Amino acid sequence: MRLSRGRAPEGMHARMAARASRVRASSRRTTLCGTAAVLLAALVVWLLLFSPVLSARQVRVEGVPPDSVAAVRERASVPLGRPLLRVDTGAVRRRVLAGGGLGDVRVSRSWPSTVVIRADRRVPVLVLRNLQGQLEVVDASGVAYATVPKAPKGLPVVTVHTDEGAGGAAAPSSGRVTQQGRSAAVSLVAALPEPLANRVSDLTLNLPEDVSFRVAGITVRWGSGGDAQAKLQVLRGLLDQPGVRKRGGTIDVSAPDSPVVRTP
């Protein structure tokens, strides 16, 4: 049998038609998959950013006493009903911190519908009587976070002075209590063991950061906040000397490597 010149065999036409059909089918599948992906992405965006399904419906407050939970919620002013992903957790944190009394605040999302506020209370360690006579509550990090009309029971009161340090030298300053000054006072209070702390009186912060106090009729110049344990060890040794206790005067441990005892 002879084939006519220029005419393709019938089987070749069938193969070419099948191949074209497969290409069209693959193209349709690709188009459908692409469309489905776009629709799925649009659905996810809608669910996260616009849908009420994943909106903020409750606020959980942790880390504070039960009687403080309502106050924290009120400060937070979380916009309930807004999609959870669109709740500005940074703004919520700033609003809660602005109320004072809290050391740190962390705000997170708990899906599908809860804003979680974890707040750490500040722990007061002393009260600072500033130059205006106000009583400022100071925490362990040296932050003054509240002003009170009366010192809370059990907290030592440190009085701010600007005239001269316990060692008799002038202590020029701006009259403003700095973070370093408060930290020096905190360092002293934290270093004193209870038996000695119970005998201490006239706690003073001579600005900018020179701390002093009286114990057993002796004025002790503590100095700044550094070397607290070394200062305490030297002070204990000097207070144990009968001659020092009897004569009174001043003990200067601001430089613990070279303490100075001044008698009246």
Side-chain angles (χ1 to χ4, degrees):
M1 176 179 175
R2 297 180 61 186
L3 297 175
S4 301
R5 184 181 299 272
R7 188 175 180 182
E10 186 175 339
M12 183 179 296
H13 284 294
R15 289 195 298 271
M16 292 177 63
R19 181 181 302 172
S21 178
R22 289 195 298 270
V23 170
R24 287 193 298 271
S26 176
S27 178
R28 284 194 296 269
R29 286 195 298 271
T30 301
T31 301
L32 288 173
C33 288
T35 302
V38 170
L39 291 174
L40 180 61
L43 177 62
V44 170
V45 170
W46 178 76
L47 283 172
L48 291 176
L49 297 179
F50 303 102
S51 168
V53 175
L54 299 178
S55 62
R57 291 193 289 273
Q58 61 180 337
V59 178
R60 187 168 75 240
V61 179
E62 302 174 347
V64 298
D67 58 356
S68 300
V69 169
V72 172
R73 278 204 186 101
E74 185 176 355
R75 289 186 215 163
S77 297
V78 176
L80 296 180
R82 178 176 297 179
L84 197 58
L85 195 62
R86 294 173 61 192
V87 173
D88 189 340
T89 56
V92 172
R93 179 178 182 273
R94 289 190 293 273
R95 287 194 293 269
V96 174
L97 281 173
L102 297 173
D104 191 21
V105 173
R106 295 173 296 282
V107 182
S108 60
R109 303 176 182 89
S110 179
W111 301 95
S113 60
T114 303
V115 174
V116 181
I117 301 174
R118 172 72 191 183
D120 295 332
R121 289 192 301 164
R122 292 189 185 277
V123 179
V125 296
L126 61 87
V127 174
L128 202 67
R129 188 188 303 276
N130 63 26
L131 294 174
Q132 292 74 40
Q134 298 169 321
L135 298 175
E136 300 176 347
V137 184
V138 179
D139 70 2
S141 61
V143 174
Y145 63 91
T147 301
V148 295
K150 183 179 179 181
K153 187 176 180 180
L155 291 184
V157 178
V158 181
T159 303
V160 177
H161 284 185
T162 58
D163 49 358
E164 60 181 16
S173 74
S174 64
R176 183 175 61 87
V177 181
T178 63
Q179 175 69 31
Q180 290 80 5
R182 289 190 296 267
S183 295
V186 169
S187 170
L188 166 62
V189 170
L192 293 177
E194 188 171 336
L196 182 58
N198 291 338
R199 299 160 55 198
V200 164
S201 63
D202 297 334
L203 283 161
T204 303
L205 170 60
N206 303 287
L207 296 180
E209 51 179 310
D210 188 13
V211 184
S212 64
F213 58 92
R214 286 184 62 79
V215 58
I218 299 171
T219 297
V220 177
R221 184 186 177 198
W222 185 263
S224 63
D227 301 320
Q229 291 305 312
K231 292 175 184 179
L232 178 61
Q233 185 176 356
V234 171
L235 176 61
R236 278 175 153 173
L238 292 172
L239 289 175
D240 286 340
Q241 296 181 16
V244 173
R245 292 201 308 269
K246 184 177 180 180
R247 292 193 298 270
T250 299
I251 296 176
D252 186 341
V253 294
S254 58
D257 292 336
S258 54
V260 178
V261 177
R262 300 183 181 91
T263 57

